[in-house]
C-alpha cells in the first residue's frame, strides 16, 4: 500500500484505519518544518482518497486529539530513529549490522528467548545467539535453524563460556525466559559484570529485572544499560531501588527510577510506553492492539538490542545530539506496537507473538523506510 508520502510528510495521524494512530510521542528537541495548513488539507484529502475514511474521523485524529506540535515532535523523533538505521550496501561483511546475544531460556521458558533472538534477526541483525540451559537448547534450536544456541547457562563455567563470546557480540539482551533459579541468576551476575568490563551494551528484561531488583548495584550508573520493565516489573524495581516510590505521574516515576539507578535508560511498557534516561522523558503511544498475548515484550527486547547497537554506532551527527539509547527505545516501542497493530488487523483475537514477528519486516518498512 502506498502510504509513504502521506506518512512521511504529515505523520501517522493522517493514516487510514489499517494504519496506526500516533499520539503522545513527546518530545525530543530538534528542528523540523511546521506543516502549512494548505499542505495539511491536501494531505488529508490524499488520506481520504487512499483509505476512504470519514472526514470527521481523520480531522479528529489529526487535529483535535493531537496538537500540531506533538505531531511535529513525533515526526522529528522518528526521523532521528530513521537516521540511525545503517544503510544496506554490498560493501559490508556478515556481522557488521549486529551480533546479538540473548541470555535466557530454561526448562519452563523456551519461547521467550526464541522470540527475542529471532526478532533481532528480523529487524536486521546478522547473527543472533542464545545462551540458555542445557535442557532448553535443543528446544530453542528446533524452533529455528537461524539461531546459534549455546547450552551453557547452567554449567559451572557458564560465565567463562559466555565471556569467550563477548568480544564477538555487540549487545546482550538479558532475561527473556531466564527463570529465577538462584544458580542461574548467580551466573548471570557474572555475565553482566563481564559485559560491563568490556563496555558492551545490555538490555535487561523479564527475570533479568528480577535480578536487578535484588542487586541494583549491578547496573548502577552503567550508561549502556536499558531496562524494559512491564507494569509488575516496574513496581518491583521501584520498590527495591527507591524504597518509597512516592506519588506522581508515570513520567515522573520512570524518570525517578532512571535517576536513582544512575541514569540507566528505563522503558516502562504499558498502554503508553514511557522512556527516560533521567534527563528526558519520551512517550510512545503509537496504536498497537488490544491483544495482550505473552511474548510481545520479548519481541521488543530483541528489537531493542539491534537498535541499541545501531544507535551507538551512528554517532552524534546522526542523532542530532539526542541520547542514542532513547532513540533506540523509541524505535523498538514503535516497531513492537506497529507489529501488534498489523498482526491484529489480520488475525484479530487469534493474534499471537509469532504473527507479530511475521510483521516485523513490513512494520519496519512502513515506519522507518517510507
Ligand atoms: N512463551 C514464553 O516462553 C514466554 C515466557 N515468558 C517468560 O516468563 C517469565 C516470567 O515473566 P512474566 O512477565 O510472566 O512475569 P511474572 O513476574 O511471572 O508476572 C506474571 C504476572 O504478573 C501479572 N502481570 C503481568 N503484567 C501485568 C500488567 N501489565 N498489569 C498487571 N499485572 C500484570 C499477572 O498477574 P495475575 O494477573 O496473574 O495476577 C501475571 O500473571 C520470564 O522469564 C518471561 O521472559 C514471557 O516472556 C511470556 C512468553
Ligand atoms: N495496555 C496496553 N495497550 C497497548 N499496548 C500495550 C499495553 N500494554 C502493553 N502494551 C505493549 O505491548 C508490548 C509488550 O508489553 P508488555 O507489558 O506486554 O510486556 P511483557 O509483559 O514484558 O511481555 P511478555 O509477555 O513478552 O513478557 C509493548 O510494546 C507495549 O507497548
Ligand atoms: Mg516480559
Amino acid at each position: 500500500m502506498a502510504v509513504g508520502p502521506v506518512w512521511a510528510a504529515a505523520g501517522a495521524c493522517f493514516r487510514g484505519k489499517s494504519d496506526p494512530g500516533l499520539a503522545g510521542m513527546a518530545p525530543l528537541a530538534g528542528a523540523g518544518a511546521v506543516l502549512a495548513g494548505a499542505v495539511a488539507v491536501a494531505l488529508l484529502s490524499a488520506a481520504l482518497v487512499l483509505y476512504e475514511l470519514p472526514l470527521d474521523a481523520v480531522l479528529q485524529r489529526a487535529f483535535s486529539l493531537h496538537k500540531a506540535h506533538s505531531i511535529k515532535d513525533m515526526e522529528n523523533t522518528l526521523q532521528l530513529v530513521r537516521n540511525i538505521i545503517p544503510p544496506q550496501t554490498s560493501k559490508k561483511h556478515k556481522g557488521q549490522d549486529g551480533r546479538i546475544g540473548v541470555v535466557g531460556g530454561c526448562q519452563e521458558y523456551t519461547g521467550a528467548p526464541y522470540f527475542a533472538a529471532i526478532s533481532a534477526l528480523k529487524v536486521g541483525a546478522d547473527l543472533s545467539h542464545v545462551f540458555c540451559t542445557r535442557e532448553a537448547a535443543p528446544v530453542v534450536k528446533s524452533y529455528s535453524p537461524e539461531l546459534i544456541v549455546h547450552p551453557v547457562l547452567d554449567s559451572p563455567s557458564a560465565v567463562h563460556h559466555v565471556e569467550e563470546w563477548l568480544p564477538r557480540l555487540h549487545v546482550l539482551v538479558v532475561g527473556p525466559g531466564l527463570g529465577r533459579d538462584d544458580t542461574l541468576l548467580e551466573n548471570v551476575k557474572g555475565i553482566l559484570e563481564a559485559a560491563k568490563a568490556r563496555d558492551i551494551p545490555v538490555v535487561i528484561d523479564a527475570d533479568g529485572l528480577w535480578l536487578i531488583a535484588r542487586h541494583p548495584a549491578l547496573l548502577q550508573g552503567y550508561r549502556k544499560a536499558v531496562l524494559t520493565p512491564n507494569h509488575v516489573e516496574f513496581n518491583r524495581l521501584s520498590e527495591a531501588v527507591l524504597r518509597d516510590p512516592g506519588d506522581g505521574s508515570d513520567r515522573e516515576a520512570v524518570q525517578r527510577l532512571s535517576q536513582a539507578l544512575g541514569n540507566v535508560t528505563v522503558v516502562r511498557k504499558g498502554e503508553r510506553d514511557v522512556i527516560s534516561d533521567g534527563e528526558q522523558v519520551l512517550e510512545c503511544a503509537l496504536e498497537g492492539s488490544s491483544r495482550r498475548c505473552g511474548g510481545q515484550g520479548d519481541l521488543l527486547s530483541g528489537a531493542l538490542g539491534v537498535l541499541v547497537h545501531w544507535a551507538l554506532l551512528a554517532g552524534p551527527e546522526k542523532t542530532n545530539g539526542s541520547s542514542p539509547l532513547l532513540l533506540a527505545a523509541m524505535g523498538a516501542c514503535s516497531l513492537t506496537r506497529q507489529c501488534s497493530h498489523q498482526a491484529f488487523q489480520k488475525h484479530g483475537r487469534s493474534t499471537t507473538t509469532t504473527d507479530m514477528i511475521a510483521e516485523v519486516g513490513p512494520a519496519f518498512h512502513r515506519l522507518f523506510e517510507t
Side-chain angles (χ1 to χ4, degrees):
M1 202 185 325
V3 296
V6 176
W7 158 244
C13 292
F14 297 133
R15 297 167 76 186
K17 58 186 172 225
S18 66
D19 289 304
L22 286 169
M25 293 178 110
L28 257 193
V34 177
L35 292 174
V39 175
V41 170
L43 290 166
L44 282 168
S45 308
L48 290 175
V49 171
L50 275 172
Y51 304 114
E52 299 169 342
L53 278 183
L55 177 62
D56 282 350
V58 176
L59 285 176
Q60 192 187 24
R61 290 181 82 193
F63 293 115
S64 307
L65 297 179
H66 314 301
K67 291 178 190 149
H69 78 262
S70 69
I71 298 171
K72 189 176 61 137
D73 289 334
M74 178 275 303
E75 248 316 306
N76 290 338
T77 305
L78 287 187
Q79 188 51 51
L80 291 174
V81 176
R82 291 183 193 112
N83 285 354
I84 66 168
I85 298 165
Q88 291 184 301
T89 76
S90 58
K91 305 289 176 218
K92 288 189 190 164
H93 63 260
K94 179 177 60 184
Q96 268 184 289
D97 276 346
R99 295 186 293 266
I100 310 300
V102 175
V103 178
C106 62
Q107 190 184 18
E108 292 89 346
Y109 307 123
T110 53
Y114 161 77
F115 290 143
I118 200 77
S119 298
L121 279 180
K122 293 286 182 188
V123 167
D126 290 334
L127 294 164
S128 208
H129 296 250
V130 175
F131 299 92
C132 58
T133 64
R134 176 158 292 279
E135 267 181 310
V139 183
V140 177
K141 268 187 214 278
S142 73
Y143 298 148
S144 166
E146 280 137 346
L147 303 181
I148 302 163
V149 183
H150 307 263
V152 299
L153 216 48
D154 49 349
S155 142
S157 47
V159 179
H160 174 70
H161 282 303
V162 179
E163 248 182 328
E164 281 190 335
W165 280 94
L166 284 183
R168 283 171 278 176
L169 297 177
H170 294 119
V171 175
L172 278 187
V173 178
V174 178
L178 175 62
R180 294 174 188 172
D181 177 87
D182 281 339
T183 314
L184 288 190
L185 294 178
E186 203 52 43
N187 287 342
V188 173
K189 267 168 87 177
I191 292 166
L192 276 176
E193 295 289 8
K196 274 189 339 186
R198 285 166 183 73
D199 213 26
I200 293 174
V202 292
V203 173
I204 313 287
D205 188 34
D207 301 313
L209 296 168
W210 169 265
L211 177 66
I212 300 305
R214 284 167 142 202
H215 305 282
L218 265 175
L219 285 185
Q220 185 70 33
Y222 188 52
R223 293 288 190 114
K224 289 193 177 174
V226 188
L227 312 188
T228 57
N230 64 20
H231 177 82
V232 174
E233 291 156 348
F234 182 85
N235 290 343
R236 188 184 294 131
L237 272 172
S238 292
E239 286 289 336
V241 174
L242 294 167
R243 301 293 170 204
D244 176 20
D247 295 329
S249 68
D250 277 359
R251 292 172 68 96
E252 287 163 347
V254 175
Q255 187 171 23
R256 261 202 310 273
L257 179 62
S258 169
Q259 286 169 351
L261 285 166
N263 296 89
V264 306
T265 298
V266 177
V267 180
R268 182 195 161 143
K269 300 171 291 191
E271 192 173 353
R272 291 166 165 267
D273 299 326
V274 181
I275 307 163
S276 180
D277 63 353
E279 288 163 14
Q280 284 185 290
V281 186
L282 307 182
E283 278 184 37
C284 178
L286 184 75
E287 187 180 352
S289 81
S290 47
R291 188 76 174 103
R292 299 270 64 81
C293 58
Q296 301 185 42
D298 306 318
L299 190 165
L300 192 154
S301 66
L304 180 55
V306 188
L307 287 162
V308 162
H309 170 53
W310 291 350
L312 289 169
L313 212 60
E317 69 288 352
K318 292 273 177 61
T319 56
N320 200 20
S322 300
S323 152
L325 297 192
L326 285 188
L327 292 179
M330 187 58 120
C333 291
S334 310
L335 182 66
T336 306
R337 297 170 77 103
Q338 176 71 7
C339 289
S340 172
H341 187 77
Q342 291 181 194
F344 193 76
Q345 295 282 318
K346 292 184 185 170
H347 305 283
R349 172 176 294 283
S350 78
T351 301
T352 61
T353 298
T354 301
D355 301 316
M356 287 174 56
I357 288 168
E359 297 297 328
V360 167
F364 189 97
H365 183 69
R366 187 166 280 193
L367 286 177
F368 306 129
E369 295 177 322
T370 53

